[in-house]
Amino acid sequence: SSVVGVDLGYQNSVIAAAGRGGVDVILNGNSNRLNPSMVGFDESRKMGELATSGASSNYKYTVTAMKRLIGLAFDDPVATLEMQRLPLQFCRVPHADGVDSIGVQTSKDPDANDSATTVVPMEAVAGMMVRHMGTIVAQKIAQETNTSVEANMPQDWVLTIPSYYTDAQRRALLAGCAMVGLTGVQRLLHETTATALAYGIFKDLKKEFQADQPTHVLFLDMGASAYTVSLVAFEPGKLIVKSTTGDANLGGRDFDWMIVTWMANKFAEKFGAKLSGNPLDRPKTVLKLLAAAEKAKKTLSPQGVKEARINLEMLMDDLDFSITLTAAEYEQMCEPLLARLEAPIVQALAEGKLTAADLHSVEIVGGSTRIGCVKRALTGFLTNSGAGAAATELLSTTLNADEAVARGAALQSA
Ligand code: ATP
Ligand code: MG
């Protein structure tokens, strides 16, 4: 049985396995490395990529954001805020003991109302996603060895958690794994530590760290939901996390929502009184807008791209909608978000009593560090924090932005 590292992301989950040849990210059945963190309760249960196709029609019973919702009480204001930022509102209900849960429809009878449901605790949904990730590895080995999937489920798991997790959330994740009958040992590791490990091990093997003075590296991770900064000192055979800061509510989804709001306003401006209501109150319209926003955002990431064309057929009330988002407009829109990138960096350096000039490199990971204006903003701050002209070279992508956390976790478990 294998030893695995699982990065349970807000949007994407990744699994890496440690083997004789090192650490590998394992592809799912569709040959993809990223698995949407999503569990759909339909006639059968669908997880990861398999859940995406039915998500729009079965949105009431398709759960996302487990990463953020576990370990919270049903009426926790944080949970309420999280629900507001979901693409689709699933049927959330309180559990007997007050923990956050999903009400799962047990009958396919169209006349059955939502009371015809069983209640699944949110942590169990997170557990199902973790289990699904393990299945990806087990399926691969089962195929290669002609054995059963169950016999090849990992027995040694390192699950990464964000640095903002409370004790209750850590416990909830482990409890969720137990609820779905996950076997073996599950250990938790901070995402930032996993990234630092993924970076450090190979540099260490190549004898790039010195014994007489620590090599300081700043790691910046911006994913879909959160932004984390951590300052790490490397010495031969040693990794010391000096400080971890960040903004738990700054990530790619905030850029998406910015564009969605802009589009919805333009749409309402154009069709005005013709519309039968607010586009943002329509689940399927919101879903279409979010998908288009994420696409436009990605189009505008590379340096030099001037605009993104957005075409939405039958967005609402059978109306088609086309609009162009220019890079200039987009960046202006993003400014309030970009302005929040600096403070955690300043704080991390201050806690470590360093300036940017003392850094060996600044490693960026997470999908949202691909955003062009994010990279430029980061380079700007580093220049002002004492790195001078070297700032442009400081920002480095040694690690695979999508895989570093899972790889580091698998290395830790090895
Ligand atoms: P978190 O770390 O917050 O739990 P996650 O690990 O699921 O989230 P990632 O997989 O690192 O997040 O990144 C996903 C985010 O990166 C999404 O918001 C996605 O839109 C964004 N993203 C991916 N590629 C690009 C790109 N080329 N340009 C802009 N954004 C991108
Ligand atoms: Mg992440």
Side-chain angles (χ1 to χ4, degrees):
S1 75
S2 29
V3 169
V4 296
V6 179
D7 169 12
L8 184 64
Y10 174 81
Q11 186 165 333
N12 303 302
S13 294
V14 182
I15 186 158
R20 277 181 305 258
V23 160
D24 285 313
V25 168
I26 309 302
L27 309 186
N28 66 24
N30 290 334
S31 301
N32 289 318
R33 288 155 191 268
L34 303 185
N35 302 274
S37 304
M38 196 183 266
V39 177
F41 295 88
D42 212 334
E43 278 125 8
S44 65
R45 208 178 282 158
K46 299 193 179 68
M47 281 155 286
E49 212 170 314
L50 298 174
T52 54
S53 58
S56 171
S57 53
N58 188 40
Y59 73 87
K60 276 194 177 174
Y61 305 105
T62 300
V63 187
T64 57
M66 304 81 90
K67 178 174 184 172
R68 310 277 297 194
L69 291 169
I70 54 167
L72 300 181
F74 179 76
D75 54 5
D76 190 316
V78 176
T80 310
L81 270 175
E82 280 301 322
M83 289 304 291
Q84 283 164 7
R85 307 166 95 176
L86 288 185
L88 288 171
Q89 301 289 313
F90 58 81
C91 175
R92 197 165 153 265
V93 296
H95 198 244
D97 52 6
V99 300
D100 199 4
S101 301
I102 154 114
V104 182
Q105 203 174 26
T106 46
S107 109
K108 265 282 144 186
D109 175 2
D111 295 327
N113 59 26
D114 284 345
S115 62
T117 58
T118 53
V119 172
V120 181
M122 195 54 64
E123 55 258 54
V125 183
M128 287 171 196
M129 189 64 208
V130 172
R131 188 168 214 293
H132 170 70
M133 297 306 291
T135 311
I136 292 173
V137 171
Q139 244 152 13
K140 182 174 178 261
I141 307 171
Q143 255 162 27
E144 289 164 359
T145 55
N146 209 4
T147 47
S148 80
V149 173
E150 207 45 47
N152 291 294
M153 281 300 278
Q155 290 302 314
D156 196 344
W157 309 69
V158 173
L159 312 177
T160 59
I161 52 165
S163 45
Y164 58 76
Y165 259 19
T166 60
D167 262 353
Q169 287 177 302
R170 301 169 71 113
R171 281 197 304 272
L173 182 57
L174 293 173
C177 292
M179 284 175 194
V180 300
L182 209 67
T183 52
V185 186
Q186 291 102 40
R187 286 175 286 164
L188 303 182
L189 178 72
H190 275 146
E191 289 166 3
T192 51
T193 311
T195 306
L197 269 167
Y199 176 87
I201 285 191
F202 298 102
K203 298 273 175 188
D204 214 2
L205 283 177
K206 287 195 269 168
K207 307 236 176 305
E208 286 187 24
F209 301 138
Q210 290 147 23
D212 47 346
Q213 64 183 71
T215 302
H216 289 108
V217 178
L218 194 67
F219 293 93
L220 308 178
D221 182 344
M222 186 149 82
S225 65
Y227 168 56
T228 316
V229 175
S230 85
L231 178 63
V232 178
F234 292 98
E235 282 167 38
K238 216 158 116 191
L239 171 171
I240 304 144
V241 180
K242 302 280 256 186
S243 74
T244 304
T245 62
D247 186 331
N249 287 298
L250 178 62
R253 64 176 178 173
D254 300 296
F255 291 76
D256 299 341
W257 277 110
M258 196 78 86
I259 303 173
V260 166
T261 312
W262 173 81
M263 279 195 289
N265 285 336
K266 295 280 182 192
F267 183 61
E269 253 170 50
K270 181 163 180 198
F271 294 105
K274 263 193 180 172
L275 296 182
S276 58
N278 182 348
L280 295 182
D281 289 338
R282 302 292 185 86
K284 291 190 183 173
T285 303
V286 172
L287 195 66
K288 282 185 192 168
L289 287 169
L290 264 173
E294 189 181 15
K295 195 168 158 218
K297 174 184 76 173
K298 289 183 180 175
T299 303
L300 291 167
S301 282
Q303 181 87 40
V305 175
K306 293 272 184 297
E307 59 179 44
R309 290 280 305 153
I310 299 161
N311 288 310
L312 288 157
E313 275 173 33
M314 307 231 280
L315 178 57
M316 179 180 159
D317 297 340
D318 287 349
L319 295 167
D320 296 340
F321 183 56
S322 299
I323 193 163
T324 299
L325 176 59
T326 67
E329 243 176 315
Y330 169 62
E331 285 185 23
Q332 199 186 354
M333 231 186 266
C334 294
E335 245 160 50
L337 298 176
L338 301 177
R340 289 158 61 190
L341 290 166
E342 183 173 16
I345 298 180
V346 172
Q347 194 192 335
L349 287 173
E351 282 175 13
K353 299 191 174 56
L354 297 177
T355 70
D358 302 314
L359 297 174
H360 173 73
S361 82
V362 178
E363 297 293 335
I364 53 173
V365 295
S368 298
T369 57
R370 296 194 178 100
I371 300 175
C373 52
V374 165
K375 278 196 255 188
R376 282 194 296 283
L378 293 173
T379 306
F381 305 144
L382 292 169
T383 312
N384 297 335
S385 331
T392 8
E393 281 122 65
L394 269 182
L395 217 58
S396 160
T397 51
T398 306
L399 297 163
N400 180 307
D402 297 321
E403 301 172 4
V405 173
R407 284 180 176 279
L411 281 166
Q412 162 79 357
S413 66

